[in-house]
């Protein structure tokens, strides 16, 4: 099955700093890859996704590139804001059997952005 | 995308009792999932709920403890039975709309505290 390893947190940055959260995965085949975000007190939201190798997903200034050769999907943002403070989850789908899939999640990385 | 609601949003329950959580989706979906997020942890898949057939449980989760119903394509329930304080978690419903390949959307969660 698939698995994911995500950078440990918490990550504390000052506003306008550059952000990288590392995510590497093992997978059978080339599944779609996802980043989800959970803001304080809220549910899980899809942040971005990439469906094939070399694809770049982007949303709200965040980007992640599907790197087949390094099996990575690192999340980046050039200039973080206080409002980006949240927990970020990397997720490849778990291939169970007969094509059934459900997302599995990394451990989550808590980002704290200070003014 | 899909709009998902859950009831209740939170509850405080006594040890030994049971709680049923409802999940309603605004469109028909084939695949529905239930996850658990223990305090400060990542999400763990409990089971896949399929309309017209029994739910499929992941390792460590059993039907007697977490019975699931899926009477139609827009609704599911998860019951947490004979609760203990270790069951205190956020329980999340998730769906994968038809044709979305692997993208899943999540409900706001039900925050359960067991005393």
């Amino acid at each position: 099955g698939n698995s994911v390893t995500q950078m440990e947190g918490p990550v504390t940055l000052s506003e306008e700093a550059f952000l990288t959260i590392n995510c590497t995965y093992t997978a059978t085949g080339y599944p779609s890859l996802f980043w989800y975000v959970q803001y304080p007190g809220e549910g899980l939201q899809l942040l971005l996704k990439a469906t094939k190798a070399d694809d770049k997903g982007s949303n709200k200034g965040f980007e992640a590139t599907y790197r087949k050769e390094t099996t990575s999907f690192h999340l980046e943002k050039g200039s973080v804001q206080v409002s980006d403070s949240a927990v970020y989850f990397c997720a490849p789908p778990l291939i169970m059997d007969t094509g059934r899939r459900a997302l599995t999640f990394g451990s989550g990385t808590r980002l704290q952005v200070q003014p | 995308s899909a709009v998902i609601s859950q009831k209740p949003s939170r509850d405080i329950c006594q040890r030994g009792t049971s709680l049923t959580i409802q999940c309603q989706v605004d469109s028909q979906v084939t695949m529905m999932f239930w996850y658990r997020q223990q305090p400060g942890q990542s999400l763990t898949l409990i089971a896949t709920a399929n309309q017209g057939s029994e739910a499929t449980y992941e390792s460590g989760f059993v039907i007697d403890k977490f019975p699931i119903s899926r009477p139609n394509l827009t609704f599911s329930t998860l019951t947490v039975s004979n609760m203990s304080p270790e069951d205190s978690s956020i329980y999340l419903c998730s769906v994968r709309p038809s044709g979305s390949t692997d993208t899943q959307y999540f409900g706001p969660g039900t925050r359960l505290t067991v005393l």
Side-chain angles (χ1 to χ4, degrees), chain B residues 43-62:
Chain B
L43 283 79
T44 302
L45 179 65
I46 297 172
T48 301
N50 299 308
Q51 194 268 338
S53 61
E54 280 193 4
T56 304
Y57 290 82
E58 298 303 309
S59 176
F61 298 97
V62 295

Side-chain angles (χ1 to χ4, degrees), chain B residues 36-79:
Chain B
R36 180 175 73 182
Q37 186 177 24
Q38 295 178 299
Q41 302 297 312
S42 184
L43 283 79
T44 302
L45 179 65
I46 297 172
T48 301
N50 299 308
Q51 194 268 338
S53 61
E54 280 193 4
T56 304
Y57 290 82
E58 298 303 309
S59 176
F61 298 97
V62 295
I63 188 171
D64 289 346
K65 176 68 175 178
F66 297 102
I68 288 171
S69 77
R70 179 85 193 273
N72 56 53
L73 292 174
T74 63
F75 186 79
S76 178
T77 67
L78 169 75
T79 299

